[in-house]
Amino acid sequence: MPKICLDPGHAGGNIDPGSINSETGLQESTVNLAIASLVKEYLIAVGYQVLMTRTREEQVETDSLKYRCELANNWGADLVVSLHCNSATSEQANGTEIYTTLGETDGDRLATYIINQVTASFSDLELRADWDDGDPDKEENFYILRYTDAPAVLLEMAFISNPEEAAKLADSAWQRDMARAVARGISDYFV
Ligand SMILES: [Zn+2]
């Protein structure tokens, strides 16, 4: 069965919590790990092999993106899926978006499958898309996308800086729905 590398963004806790909601103190690294762990459950249940680049709340070696990429590459991952929460100065900023590297790769196909499942599961989650090249992903040479050998995507699930979306990101039922959508998108890639 395919080997899926899940990458919960940021090292966690005092090392690098990622973005933080200024009202509730909710940390991005906590949400990323919780949802990635649920994606892992779903994928294992249908027979996939899964490797997490971070498995604990605060894990110092994961502060290195080079470490994470080498982990995925040495394992021989077939896909890499990085999970993050978005943040903006304006509390109004909202929605979901997914990134691949520049140009057309299998990562674009994976991104489309995942974002289709996410938008199908959450009608209230606005899609922030870049349709310039005919598909919904945005393109940036983020390190985790650029230096992993396998097709890779980075999903910014929702805005932790937006009060309503932060409440959803903290909600265990919402986390489970998001994880299920991501897992379904990954499965769609192999159909
Ligand atoms: Zn992040």
Side-chain angles (χ1 to χ4, degrees):
M1 283 298 273
K3 299 168 84 169
I4 313 300
C5 176
L6 300 175
D7 178 54
H10 307 280
N14 291 315
I15 306 164
D16 171 19
S19 303
I20 300 174
N21 182 278
S22 56
E23 300 291 316
T24 66
L26 179 67
Q27 298 189 347
E28 182 196 347
S29 57
T30 307
V31 175
N32 297 342
L33 181 60
I35 297 179
S37 302
L38 293 168
V39 176
K40 178 183 177 179
E41 275 182 28
Y42 282 115
L43 291 176
I44 297 264
V46 291
Y48 288 87
Q49 299 180 70
V50 177
L51 175 77
M52 304 258 290
T53 59
R54 176 167 67 92
T55 56
R56 299 191 305 278
E57 188 52 50
E58 194 177 68
Q59 196 173 341
V60 65
E61 65 272 24
T62 68
D63 203 26
S64 158
L65 294 176
K66 184 166 179 282
Y67 165 85
R68 292 175 186 242
C69 291
E70 285 174 359
L71 209 61
N73 293 340
N74 292 339
W75 187 56
D78 293 307
L79 295 179
V80 176
V81 176
S82 186
L83 297 179
H84 285 257
C85 305
N86 225 329
S87 180
T89 314
S90 165
E91 283 192 358
Q92 307 305 314
N94 69 305
T96 189
E97 60 190 19
I98 195 161
Y99 287 88
T100 64
T101 51
L102 306 190
E104 196 69 25
T105 68
D106 281 338
D108 293 53
R109 206 158 61 77
L110 175 62
T112 300
Y113 285 130
I114 292 177
I115 210 72
N116 283 349
Q117 288 287 355
V118 169
T119 52
S121 298
F122 299 96
S123 53
D124 56 342
L125 201 52
E126 189 180 317
L127 172 60
R128 301 162 64 93
D130 172 10
W131 293 104
D132 282 355
D133 59 351
D135 57 28
D137 61 80
K138 298 185 172 187
E139 299 192 341
E140 285 282 348
N141 278 327
F142 290 138
Y143 194 100
I144 196 78
L145 304 178
R146 176 77 181 78
Y147 293 101
T148 41
D149 298 333
V153 300
L154 186 150
L155 177 65
E156 297 275 11
M157 298 178 283
F159 277 77
I160 201 166
S161 48
N162 176 298
E164 289 101 68
E165 292 196 353
K168 291 173 182 169
L169 286 163
D171 179 76
S172 59
W174 193 95
Q175 292 179 348
R176 192 160 282 282
D177 288 345
M178 175 57 74
R180 191 186 304 116
V182 172
R184 282 181 176 157
I186 291 168
S187 298
D188 289 346
Y189 179 91
F190 293 100
V191 170

